[in-house]
Amino acid sequence: MERKLNSEMFVLRSIACLSIALLHALYRVYDDGNTPWVESVGLLLTFGTPVFVFISQFVLSFAYPDGIPAKFWEKRIKYILLPYFFFGALYAGLKGLDMASSEGIPLFQAFWYFLWRHWLLGDFHGYFILIIFQFYALFLLFQKYAKKFTPRSILIASFVINVAYLGFFNFTKPVDTVAAQYIWDKLYWVFSPGWIFYFTVAYYLGRNEAWFREKLKQFRLAVYVLPVVTGALVLFVNGQGWITAHSSKRIDMLLFAMSMILLLFTVASSLKKVPRVLEWSSRYSFGIYLLHPLLLALFVKLPSSFGLQNLGLFSVLLQFVGCVVGSAIIMNIANRIPGGAFVFGRVGIGINQTKPPKPLDKPIISSIGNIN
């Protein structure tokens, strides 16, 4: 089954990836967003994760509207799930080292404490992968059974489920137990009801892409106004303290993220050609997503003479560019080693490519000069 590509997804994937990297660079420099303007900007930048959920399903629905691709699970296990386990172990090891040195706990005990939480609960930034695997399974079910229902009924039902789920965790408090506190703090992020509306919208828009384009042209003014209105709503709700979570898992972010998806798709559709930097960052987005927190943590350890900590917005820019470019370089090198894509993920295909790049047959040392 031949795979179709949608050029707008390169733009959306790139912007989503870069927004997350910029958010984390901003928080590294400005103490996790405790400055008011940083808190506001950082909150709006969290739209990147919902965009990733949308993209993962739009691409499948657009490329395979009438069937299921061959080796569906095999490819996703090799190039997405295996890197999830590797990075889960890597970050567990780093956190374990830190805990062992600061609290005097045996290293293996500290490592195991984080490892099982990372792998089973998605208790690190890779939790997104557990979400999309749930939606991969749901996509297969939709391919078989969604035609029995009208799109309107499914969209309405998914919106109600999404709002009710997020509302429950946004507006209620857990009972006084460690387990309940953990569920309210983090674990509820991992389950599909918190993202189901993005999935259903992406599923139907991907299958009706031509209709989607025409509607965006018809309501172009609304598309440009909605992000301003919904973004202002998010900031107002946050300022009033009605929802205190500074993340994408808020009811109001559901509206803002969807409006940003419509805006980005509209802007991308108007481009004659995808900008090269956006196509490039889109191809490396998976590696950037997984690797950038590691590089940002390393930047903090550098001497202040490097200028990466105390120069305000310039420090943000340096760390942002450094973690994006550094992640792409590491992923590029890894993909040139046989089996490296199973560890760091596979470099995506370009807009004019039909197949991803193959690893080099020669040893990596002799091939470094050919990296481009």
Side-chain angles (χ1 to χ4, degrees):
M1 187 181 296
E2 183 180 356
R3 178 179 181 180
K4 299 186 294 181
L5 294 178
N6 180 281
S7 61
E8 286 83 358
M9 291 302 104
F10 285 86
V11 176
L12 265 73
R13 187 183 294 111
S14 175
I15 297 299
C17 167
L18 296 178
S19 70
I20 293 171
L22 179 59
L23 166 66
H24 293 158
L26 191 67
Y27 279 5
R28 281 285 181 178
V29 174
Y30 287 99
D31 192 24
D32 290 334
N34 289 328
T35 305
W37 74 266
V38 174
E39 177 185 338
S40 298
V41 173
L43 181 57
L44 296 180
L45 285 174
T46 61
F47 80 90
T49 301
V51 174
F52 268 126
V53 174
F54 176 89
I55 292 169
S56 67
Q57 300 312 312
F58 185 99
V59 167
L60 283 178
S61 189
F62 175 77
Y64 311 109
D66 302 314
I68 298 171
K71 299 181 179 179
F72 181 85
W73 287 113
E74 178 184 340
K75 292 179 179 179
R76 284 156 182 79
I77 289 173
K78 288 195 300 186
Y79 298 115
I80 300 177
L81 192 59
L82 289 182
Y84 167 81
F85 285 125
F86 170 76
F87 278 95
L90 174 64
Y91 286 107
L94 295 174
K95 291 178 182 178
L97 280 172
D98 184 62
M99 176 182 280
S101 61
S102 62
E103 301 182 20
I105 298 174
L107 177 58
F108 179 78
Q109 180 181 339
F111 171 68
W112 175 249
Y113 171 79
F114 289 109
L115 182 65
W116 74 266
R117 292 160 66 101
H118 285 191
W119 282 2
L120 297 181
L121 306 179
D123 191 8
F124 72 117
H125 66 282
Y127 73 92
F128 161 75
I129 294 173
L130 295 184
I131 297 168
I132 63 171
F133 263 84
Q134 294 172 65
F135 286 133
Y136 288 154
L138 193 58
F139 171 74
L140 301 185
L141 291 176
F142 264 55
Q143 292 290 72
K144 290 185 178 181
Y145 303 112
K147 62 184 68 175
K148 297 182 179 180
F149 306 92
T150 64
R152 176 178 294 182
S153 63
I154 291 181
L155 288 169
I156 292 174
S158 67
F159 181 76
V160 171
I161 291 171
N162 212 149
V163 169
Y165 182 85
L166 292 179
F168 177 76
F169 289 103
N170 285 172
F171 295 115
T172 64
K173 295 183 179 180
V175 297
D176 191 18
T177 66
V178 174
Q181 188 66 52
Y182 180 77
I183 293 172
W184 259 253
D185 285 347
K186 293 184 178 181
L187 190 59
Y188 81 94
W189 301 357
V190 177
F191 299 113
S192 59
W195 313 86
I196 188 68
F197 186 61
Y198 302 113
F199 167 83
T200 55
V201 171
Y203 178 81
Y204 286 112
L205 292 185
R207 293 170 62 86
N208 301 278
E209 186 254 2
W211 174 88
F212 181 36
R213 288 175 183 273
E214 289 303 313
K215 289 299 179 182
L216 289 177
K217 293 178 182 178
Q218 183 179 349
F219 298 100
R220 183 176 293 269
L221 178 60
V223 168
Y224 282 97
V225 171
L226 273 175
V228 177
V229 174
T230 56
L233 175 64
V234 169
L235 297 181
F236 177 76
V237 170
N238 186 67
Q240 295 298 313
W242 294 341
I243 303 177
T244 57
H246 294 164
S247 73
S248 57
K249 282 68 71 175
R250 300 166 46 123
I251 291 179
D252 48 1
M253 282 301 298
L254 186 66
L255 301 176
F256 177 65
M258 281 305 311
S259 67
M260 286 299 297
I261 289 169
L262 298 179
L263 174 63
L264 291 173
F265 198 101
T266 300
V267 172
S269 298
S270 67
L271 299 175
K272 294 182 179 180
K273 183 180 179 181
V274 176
R276 193 166 183 176
V277 66
L278 295 184
E279 181 184 1
W280 171 84
S281 55
S282 173
R283 293 178 62 217
Y284 289 96
S285 60
F286 188 63
I288 293 171
Y289 182 85
L290 290 175
L291 277 163
H292 80 273
L294 174 61
L295 295 183
L296 288 174
L298 292 177
F299 293 157
V300 174
K301 304 297 183 181
L302 293 175
S304 58
S305 57
F306 281 84
L308 293 180
Q309 288 90 19
N310 303 313
L311 298 178
L313 288 176
F314 187 62
S315 293
V316 175
L317 177 62
L318 287 176
Q319 294 197 32
F320 168 67
V321 173
C323 73
V324 169
V325 175
S327 298
I329 290 173
I330 293 172
M331 193 179 187
N332 191 307
I333 295 174
N335 273 247
R336 292 170 178 268
I337 304 172
F342 301 152
V343 177
F344 288 87
R346 186 165 61 175
V347 176
I349 60 176
I351 198 167
N352 295 315
Q353 294 177 295
T354 57
K355 294 182 179 180
K358 294 182 178 180
L360 300 179
D361 295 327
K362 297 179 181 180
I364 187 65
I365 297 300
S366 63
S367 305
I368 283 289
N370 296 323
I371 294 178
N372 50 46

